[in-house]
Amino acid sequence: MKFPVTLTEDLNEGGYVVTFKDVPEAITQGETIEDSLEMAQEALESAIEFYFEDKRSVPTPSKARRGQYVVELPASMSAKILL
């Protein structure tokens, strides 16, 4: 499962703020795009774990726009969602 991610440049502090349209609980930031995407992976996985703990349905990822970054869940977590 691949979730589209939005990177917004933080003009005041520098770096990028990372959000997910489909999983609003997953918010993070990083200094570079690469760092931000690594942090996004951790934030998304943590947010999904909260969905599991609360016994809530995990949102289906929306389709990424052309050129938009995506974060892919590990296969084990994707399988858990699909079950």
Side-chain angles (χ1 to χ4, degrees):
M1 297 184 90
K2 296 179 182 180
F3 286 83
V5 61
T6 301
L7 300 177
T8 306
E9 191 171 2
D10 186 337
L11 301 175
N12 295 321
E13 301 291 324
Y16 298 87
V17 175
V18 182
T19 57
F20 292 85
K21 173 184 171 185
D22 304 310
V23 185
E25 299 87 350
I27 302 171
T28 190
Q29 64 184 36
E31 292 299 316
T32 64
I33 290 175
E34 294 78 18
D35 181 45
S36 298
L37 291 173
E38 287 178 27
M39 299 298 289
Q41 181 78 39
E42 293 176 25
L44 180 61
E45 289 179 28
S46 293
I48 298 297
E49 287 295 336
F50 284 116
Y51 279 83
F52 293 153
E53 288 175 15
D54 294 342
K55 295 182 178 24
R56 296 183 344 201
S57 296
V58 175
T60 303
S62 57
K63 185 175 180 179
R65 296 183 313 269
R66 177 177 252 171
Q68 185 176 19
Y69 292 104
V70 295
V71 172
E72 186 169 7
L73 289 175
S76 60
M77 189 171 271
S78 293
K80 191 172 179 179
I81 290 169
L82 295 173
L83 292 176

